[in-house]
Amino acid sequence: MQLTRFTDLGLRVVTHLAAAPAADLPNTATVAEQLGLSYAHTVKVVARLGELGVVITRRGRGGGLAITELGRTATIGWLTRQLEGEGEVVDCDGPKPCPLRGNCTLRVALRTAREAFYSALDTLTVADLATRGNTAELPFPVPPRISPATHP
């Protein structure tokens, strides 16, 4: 399964914000520049992340972007579902409907596969992605992550 560019950018932005020092409140232009993204696309992604309650935006002097607690604890599966939408993997009813759709089991199999894909992503949170290993190329230092003693 291939994610849309919108989802890809959304995951990059939240990972970046989760890894940033808490005192930093970068603006959208700075985030776009630091991640090498289009400013226009980043604005759209940030707006959607704000609607989801994953990031907060503050305007004006001293403003910027910050990840929320929901944003840190959200699973990648949940966030991907929200950014991708509920559409089918294939469009059997598109402008020219598939003549096989009446007895075809492919649509059900693809729906099942999509849910398995999302379920696998449900094992990771945004905070899990914001570790030193995943953010080595960020333009700021990332503090080491302290794991519970029960995890090797």
Side-chain angles (χ1 to χ4, degrees):
M1 186 171 154
Q2 184 171 354
L3 299 177
T4 61
R5 180 82 172 135
F6 187 81
T7 300
D8 176 27
L9 297 182
L11 294 173
R12 290 179 196 213
V13 169
V14 296
T15 301
H16 180 75
L17 293 174
D24 282 3
L25 291 175
N27 62 31
T28 305
T30 300
V31 170
E33 181 181 325
Q34 289 175 335
L35 295 176
L37 307 175
S38 154
Y39 174 73
H41 288 120
T42 305
V43 167
K44 291 176 187 175
V45 166
V46 166
R48 178 66 178 134
L49 294 171
E51 290 170 2
L52 293 171
V54 173
V55 299
I56 54 172
T57 59
R58 296 184 187 127
R59 290 179 172 242
R61 190 170 186 214
L65 305 174
I67 192 160
T68 65
E69 186 59 29
L70 170 63
R72 288 186 190 286
T73 60
T75 69
I76 301 306
W78 176 83
L79 186 54
T80 302
R81 283 179 189 92
Q82 301 309 305
L83 296 173
E84 284 290 308
E86 294 297 321
E88 296 285 339
V89 176
V90 294
D91 183 12
C92 301
D93 301 317
K96 188 172 183 181
C98 176
L100 303 175
R101 73 185 184 281
N103 293 322
C104 181
T105 58
L106 179 60
R107 188 179 211 170
V108 174
L110 290 172
R111 188 177 301 132
T112 302
R114 180 189 67 205
E115 285 311 310
F117 175 78
Y118 288 146
S119 292
L121 294 176
D122 282 334
T123 64
L124 288 170
T125 66
V126 171
D128 293 332
L129 295 183
T131 62
R132 183 171 298 284
N134 289 325
T135 57
E137 301 300 319
L138 289 175
F140 49 78
V142 177
R145 182 172 180 231
I146 299 174
S147 299
T150 57
H151 289 74

